[in-house]
Amino acid sequence: MADWAPIAKEYDPLKAGSIDGTDEEPHDRAIWRAMLARYVPNKGVTGDPHLTLFVARLNLQTTEEKLREVFSRYGDIRKIRLVRDLVTGFSKGYAFIEYKEERALLKAHRDANRLVIDQHEIFVDFELERTLKGWIPRRLGGGFGGKKESGQLRFGGRDRPFRKPINLPNMKNDFYGEGSSEKRNWSREGTRDWRTRDRDHERGRDKRWPERERSWAWGDSERERDSKEERSRGRERKDRDR
């Protein structure tokens, strides 16, 4: 934690996929692929990397002329390199645009992101392949990714700074000791005892219901018999009186 910084000076896939840059175990297979990758940047690329913009998610039909028409509104362009397949010559959907001035670069980075070109919403970011040591592209599991609050850290966002780590207070050594575990076990057993007793009570009540019904039925028959006897006695009295 002593050497922690909000912005990484060297690319580490494990830290790039972390909210605060302190992860010690990879949380997805992409990070494993990036950690095992042996990527070597293209040494044939020329130009100033600090004045170069990375443009991705392009329509495969978009040409260099269309890119120059759109991005020249932010400043003077020195060079455009649309990456194409070596065999077919078709566009791979991303390009690098080098400006003459840093002011134009910053303006394009701020305003051109999520711009729609040829029915495609583009993604704009600074070039990192030659500016960040150890950089690994997304196709090999690297790259940066979305908003860190979402948990989807490696899916094409522009979040650079790590969130500041949360310093938890130091707990006592016996906080998770035997005493607390015994207490937890006792409470769980107590919960089980209560549940068992409740179930036994419910079962006993179910058993008592037929007995109550029988007793109520017996009580009704007794009342009817008593009322019949009283009626018969009343008739005998009337006969005597006559």
Side-chain angles (χ1 to χ4, degrees):
M1 294 297 297
D3 57 349
W4 184 89
I7 299 179
K9 298 179 181 180
E10 183 174 350
Y11 185 80
D12 184 352
L14 186 59
K15 292 183 178 180
S18 172
I19 292 177
D20 54 10
T22 60
D23 281 7
E24 297 180 356
E25 294 292 336
H27 61 75
D28 60 24
R29 295 181 180 178
I31 297 178
W32 274 115
R33 289 197 296 118
M35 293 172 64
L36 299 175
R38 297 293 180 265
Y39 177 71
V40 179
N42 187 357
K43 296 182 180 181
V45 177
T46 59
D48 189 350
H50 298 283
L51 294 177
T52 303
L53 209 63
F54 171 69
V55 183
R57 303 175 189 170
L58 293 172
N59 189 324
L60 299 182
Q61 305 301 322
T62 301
T63 62
E64 289 88 343
E65 290 74 15
K66 182 66 175 181
L67 291 175
R68 185 176 296 275
E69 176 186 350
V70 173
F71 283 90
S72 61
R73 70 183 66 171
Y74 304 109
D76 295 333
I77 296 175
R78 179 173 296 167
K79 184 174 61 176
I80 294 179
R81 180 169 62 94
L82 180 62
V83 179
R84 297 179 178 273
D85 188 273
L86 295 176
V87 178
T88 63
F90 294 151
S91 170
K92 288 189 174 183
Y94 62 97
F96 296 90
I97 301 176
E98 182 184 356
Y99 282 95
K100 295 181 178 180
E101 298 178 353
E102 184 180 3
R103 180 177 58 183
L105 175 79
L106 297 177
K107 187 176 181 181
H109 179 267
R110 182 191 63 197
D111 298 338
N113 187 46
R114 305 186 68 177
L115 191 68
V116 177
I117 301 176
D118 294 337
Q119 293 80 45
H120 276 226
E121 186 179 275
I122 65 173
F123 171 75
V124 175
D125 199 358
F126 298 117
E127 181 187 350
L128 295 172
E129 182 176 4
R130 295 180 291 166
T131 58
L132 187 60
K133 183 180 178 181
W135 171 255
I136 298 174
R138 286 184 58 206
R139 59 185 172 84
L140 297 178
F144 287 110
K147 293 185 176 180
K148 298 185 182 299
E149 290 85 354
S150 68
Q152 297 180 345
L153 305 179
R154 305 168 64 79
F155 295 92
R158 299 201 299 179
D159 259 0
R160 287 293 177 274
F162 296 119
R163 299 294 182 262
K164 189 174 182 180
I166 300 175
N167 294 324
L168 298 176
N170 293 327
M171 301 295 182
K172 294 182 179 180
N173 294 332
D174 59 347
F175 183 78
Y176 294 105
E178 295 179 356
S180 60
S181 62
E182 291 177 358
K183 186 176 181 180
R184 288 196 299 272
N185 294 334
W186 175 85
S187 62
R188 290 175 183 173
E189 292 175 0
T191 304
R192 293 195 192 98
D193 293 341
W194 277 101
R195 291 175 181 174
T196 305
R197 189 169 67 181
D198 292 341
R199 284 198 300 268
D200 295 340
H201 177 72
E202 292 291 337
R203 292 172 182 172
R205 187 173 63 178
D206 294 340
K207 292 180 180 179
R208 288 193 296 272
W209 271 107
E211 296 177 359
R212 291 181 181 178
E213 292 177 356
R214 285 197 298 270
S215 64
W216 292 339
W218 179 83
D220 293 340
S221 61
E222 287 291 326
R223 292 191 192 96
E224 291 177 358
R225 188 175 63 183
D226 294 341
S227 62
K228 288 180 181 179
E229 291 179 356
E230 289 179 359
R231 285 197 297 270
S232 62
R233 290 173 184 172
R235 290 172 185 171
E236 291 176 356
R237 291 194 190 103
K238 289 181 180 179
D239 294 337
R240 290 175 185 176
D241 294 338
R242 290 176 185 174

